[in-house]
Amino acid sequence: MRYFIWFGYDGTSYHGWQLQPNGVTVQGELQRCLSMLLRRDISVTGAGRTDAGVHARRMAAHFDVDDALDDAVLVKKLNGLLPRDIAVYSIERVDDALHARFSALARTYHYYVHTHKSPFVRQYSLELHYRLDYQRMNEAARVLMEYDDFGAFCKAGSDVKTTLCRVMRAEWHQTSPTEWYFEIQANRFLRNMVRAVVGTLVEVGRGRMTLDEFRQVIEGRRRTQAGESMPAHALFLEDVAYPPSPQP
């Protein structure tokens, strides 16, 4: 029987989602607590792999068991056992064919920035000390939807089989006079891709890169031509979308 688990986490204290031999990870904590509660080894498959320090507001994963579970009771017990920076929202039985990673239709990320000193947003937003042209950055962001190969924004040395992605949405939003976030949605993301995209858009916003040069970066597919990778602490996996699942 397959179960989906929906949860969120503050990634500050973790070496990312995926299991690491010498680091504490979100996947490792979920597997440890589920295995303890269900008294058997539980393997959890996530919707994607967030890097160290990246957060998830709404993440999905699946695990398989032989017997039916009391979803509500398990959620309560799991939240009591997990660290305070990981919260389970729900657990639900799904069709065995639904896969947390491969069945996902889209993933949405937000990257947050602000231009004032604030003790309240500094952990989850990047403080910037220069002016940006957000209109020009949105013009560049729309260019992303014209392409499908994003090798220029993939971390060097990544063992990906393809750098093809389909970007469905890319736009900067202002939430206050001094706060913005960049929203990007795609069917899949490459390692470090969002932070590299944001870093390159910032180059456009600062007037250091033209729109034509931004296109050349994408078409060149070389990571060294793109902007720097922005810090992880301001990046959130906001949501994961799936097709309607038939009743198990």
Side-chain angles (χ1 to χ4, degrees), residues 49-215:
R49 298 183 294 181
T50 55
D51 292 333
V54 176
H55 319 289
R57 209 177 301 276
R58 182 172 162 82
M59 168 72 147
H62 78 250
F63 63 94
D64 297 322
V65 292
D66 295 328
D67 307 313
L69 302 173
D70 187 324
D71 307 351
V73 170
L74 184 56
V75 168
K76 184 176 181 179
K77 289 184 176 180
L78 197 52
N79 276 326
L81 193 59
L82 283 165
R84 297 184 68 179
D85 48 13
I86 303 175
V88 174
Y89 308 140
S90 66
I91 296 175
E92 57 189 34
R93 174 87 185 278
V94 297
D95 186 86
D96 290 347
L98 196 66
H99 193 284
R101 180 181 176 190
F102 299 124
S103 298
L105 299 176
R107 296 148 173 94
T108 302
Y109 280 89
H110 287 181
Y111 194 91
Y112 295 85
V113 301
H114 61 285
T115 57
H116 66 295
K117 183 177 181 180
S118 170
F120 305 111
V121 300
R122 62 183 176 82
Q123 279 190 287
Y124 307 109
S125 177
L126 178 65
E127 185 175 336
L128 299 177
H129 300 283
Y130 38 77
R131 290 190 177 187
L132 293 173
D133 184 336
Y134 287 93
Q135 181 176 345
R136 182 59 59 89
M137 289 161 68
N138 270 331
E139 290 177 23
R142 287 192 288 271
V143 169
L144 294 169
M145 291 178 278
E146 301 175 17
Y147 293 88
D148 58 12
D149 193 326
F150 295 98
F153 305 120
C154 183
K155 185 172 183 178
S158 295
D159 57 347
V160 293
K161 295 180 180 179
T162 176
T163 53
L164 298 179
C165 306
R166 187 174 76 258
V167 176
M168 309 160 189
R169 187 184 308 155
E171 186 176 9
W172 286 91
H173 301 271
Q174 185 171 10
T175 57
S176 82
T178 57
E179 297 176 343
W180 292 260
Y181 70 88
F182 176 63
E183 179 178 38
I184 184 168
Q185 183 184 75
N187 64 324
R188 65 188 291 264
F189 286 92
L190 308 172
R191 187 176 179 188
N192 220 209
M193 177 174 164
V194 180
R195 291 157 60 194
V197 167
V198 173
T200 311
L201 289 174
V202 165
E203 291 295 291
V204 175
R206 298 183 72 178
R208 295 180 171 184
M209 183 182 293
T210 66
L211 291 178
D212 284 341
E213 289 170 338
F214 184 75
R215 287 182 180 277

